[in-house]
Amino acid sequence: MNHAGRRDKLRKQLKREGLDALLVTNFLNVTYLTGFTGDDSYLLVTPTDAIIISDLRYDTQLHDECPDVELCIRGPGTKMLDFVVKTVEKAGARRMGFEADSMTVGLRDAVADALPKVELAATSGWVEELRMIKDKDEINRTRVACDQARRAFEVVRAGITPETTENQIAADLEYQVRRFGGKGLSFTPIVGVGYRAALPHGMATDRKIGEADFVLIDWGANEGLYMSDLTRVLATGKISPKLRKLYNIVLKAQLAGIAAIKPGATCEAVDAAARSVIEKAGHGKAFGHGLGHGTGLEIHEAPRLAKGQKTELKPGMIVTVEPGIYFPEWGGIRIEDDILVTRDGHEVLSSVPKELDESVAG
Ligand code: ZN
Ligand code: ZN
């Protein structure tokens, strides 16, 4: 990965904003800009240098993962604040940006007290904006994360019986993702049998699959750094006409949303393409969330596919498309895939079958 190139892009932003340093305190942003995968470490980016402020636990890892970055490593019993101050003084920064979405008020005040001559400027979303456009390596890692999620799901799906519980499915998914080489799941999975599928973020319980005729599973794999995020509904009994009807509306909406993805399309237009299918079917009120979100180092990143989001899609963005219809008494249907924006349109990165007749447990 071209971490130096990413830092250069950030430096252009510094220059545009008249800053001579940015203190990066969001650990994932530090990872993105340097390749260092540990935490508890900050990065100071100046027009000419990049310095990681970390501690002795990470000494070896830092030398391995980011040999091109200067290191400021503190020993036991020393304070992070003192090393931040020392590094900023050494860099000679006069107007320093900080990440307002990550830095605590306490640290900000302490830095301001210790460096009275340095002007502090709040910044928001600078690195996150760079993170929206994935490079080749990030795309390939996301492909791996999608593949691990698919393989885990196939194994788990084949083993489901009426006695299987939501918790067992959640645990098996985690186990299988790790068996297929992933670091783990990308978030605590949602497994909802029957009416529990109407809870968009329902945690797994000991409810058994046989207690209803379908189950909703929302899961993803973390391949090491990058995340995938999928949702499928599996029929676990006889497919009722209601399930089939609602399922096919959501599937049609999802395909319409995916079809709308191309460079230049706004996020709200993609949301509308899927939402209008559900609205026309008379269920607009039952679709109470945005259509999707970016994925990457975090499971939810920019951009957001939702009403009012004017961001235009660009090649290299990866977004989920996940329309749903929910009825509290009955349950919910959601279908979710991960989509890469390409130069001439899009590519669906996740590949788990999603026709209802292919979505059967056991
Ligand atoms: Zn999901
Ligand atoms: Zn999602």
Side-chain angles (χ1 to χ4, degrees):
M1 273 189 264
N2 184 5
H3 301 104
R6 294 172 185 174
R7 295 194 294 271
D8 283 341
K9 282 186 190 157
L10 186 63
R11 287 186 179 111
K12 283 189 188 138
Q13 177 86 2
L14 283 174
K15 204 173 168 193
R16 274 196 296 271
E17 304 286 336
L19 301 181
D20 50 16
L22 179 71
L23 182 64
V24 181
T25 48
N26 174 325
F27 302 146
L28 287 173
N29 287 345
V30 174
T31 300
Y32 180 78
L33 293 167
T34 65
F36 172 57
T37 58
D39 49 24
D40 288 338
S41 305
Y42 300 154
L43 174 73
L44 186 73
V45 178
T46 73
T48 50
D49 292 308
I51 308 122
I52 288 187
I53 307 154
S54 187
D55 61 75
L56 267 178
R57 287 173 301 161
Y58 287 126
D59 198 16
T60 310
Q61 190 181 340
L62 282 159
H63 282 92
D64 279 355
E65 290 183 336
C66 42
D68 61 337
V69 175
E70 211 179 300
L71 302 177
C72 173
I73 294 181
R74 62 195 180 90
T78 59
K79 279 194 198 146
M80 184 70 153
L81 174 66
D82 295 339
F83 280 72
V84 169
V85 168
K86 204 171 89 177
T87 308
V88 174
E89 275 175 345
K90 199 175 150 203
R94 292 174 178 196
R95 194 157 183 261
M96 179 172 79
F98 64 92
E99 293 187 297
D101 303 320
S102 141
M103 198 182 202
T104 63
V105 176
L107 181 60
R108 190 219 163 272
D109 289 350
V111 170
D113 282 347
L115 294 166
K117 285 186 189 152
V118 179
E119 187 190 336
L120 295 179
T123 73
S124 177
W126 289 10
V127 182
E128 286 81 353
E129 198 174 318
L130 297 177
R131 280 168 51 185
M132 277 205 289
I133 310 287
K134 273 69 182 175
D135 63 24
K136 225 176 186 172
D137 186 62
E138 295 177 288
I139 293 166
N140 283 336
R141 281 170 175 265
T142 307
R143 281 184 207 285
V144 170
C146 286
D147 202 50
Q148 288 166 345
R150 174 185 62 79
R151 293 168 79 178
F153 185 75
E154 279 171 0
V155 174
V156 173
R157 183 182 68 91
I160 293 175
T161 71
E163 292 301 304
T164 310
T165 66
E166 294 172 354
N167 269 327
Q168 285 167 343
I169 291 178
D172 284 352
L173 282 168
E174 168 97 37
Y175 175 68
Q176 292 299 337
V177 160
R178 293 182 72 162
R179 285 208 53 175
F180 286 119
K183 188 175 167 191
L185 292 174
S186 44
F187 55 93
T188 306
I190 295 161
V191 184
V193 171
Y195 77 90
R196 295 199 68 260
L199 307 167
H201 283 104
M203 293 295 144
T205 67
D206 284 328
R207 202 169 144 87
K208 288 183 180 152
I209 297 307
E211 291 177 41
D213 54 6
F214 63 93
V215 56
L216 180 148
I217 303 173
D218 186 344
W219 82 108
N222 172 350
E223 57 73 53
L225 280 177
Y226 285 80
M227 313 282 181
S228 59
D229 185 5
L230 290 85
T231 305
R232 288 292 183 268
V233 168
L234 294 177
T236 53
K238 200 168 166 281
I239 297 173
S240 70
K242 182 170 185 179
L243 175 61
R244 187 174 294 281
K245 190 168 166 241
L246 292 174
Y247 189 95
N248 285 331
I249 294 166
V250 174
L251 182 57
K252 196 176 160 197
Q254 202 230 15
L255 295 173
I258 293 171
I261 292 184
K262 59 179 184 217
T266 63
C267 289
E268 64 177 358
V270 176
D271 178 274
R275 194 169 299 278
S276 64
V277 172
I278 292 176
E279 282 169 353
K280 270 181 204 145
H283 297 302
K285 284 202 181 111
F287 176 20
H289 55 77
L291 182 66
H293 54 86
T295 66
L297 292 169
E298 284 175 283
I299 192 64
H300 295 122
E301 298 198 349
R304 279 198 310 127
L305 303 184
K307 273 183 195 166
Q309 295 292 315
K310 315 274 182 207
T311 305
E312 285 187 8
L313 296 178
K314 288 189 185 139
M317 288 181 177
I318 296 176
V319 291
T320 68
V321 173
E322 48 180 306
I325 294 182
Y326 311 91
F327 298 111
E329 305 291 313
W330 177 79
I333 307 291
R334 180 166 68 252
I335 305 170
E336 176 178 24
D337 281 299
D338 300 344
I339 321 295
L340 168 70
V341 184
T342 61
R343 237 170 254 202
D344 47 10
H346 61 264
E347 180 191 338
V348 182
L349 299 178
S350 45
S351 63
V352 175
K354 58 185 170 187
E355 289 293 333
L356 183 57
D357 292 313
E358 301 169 304
S359 302
V360 177

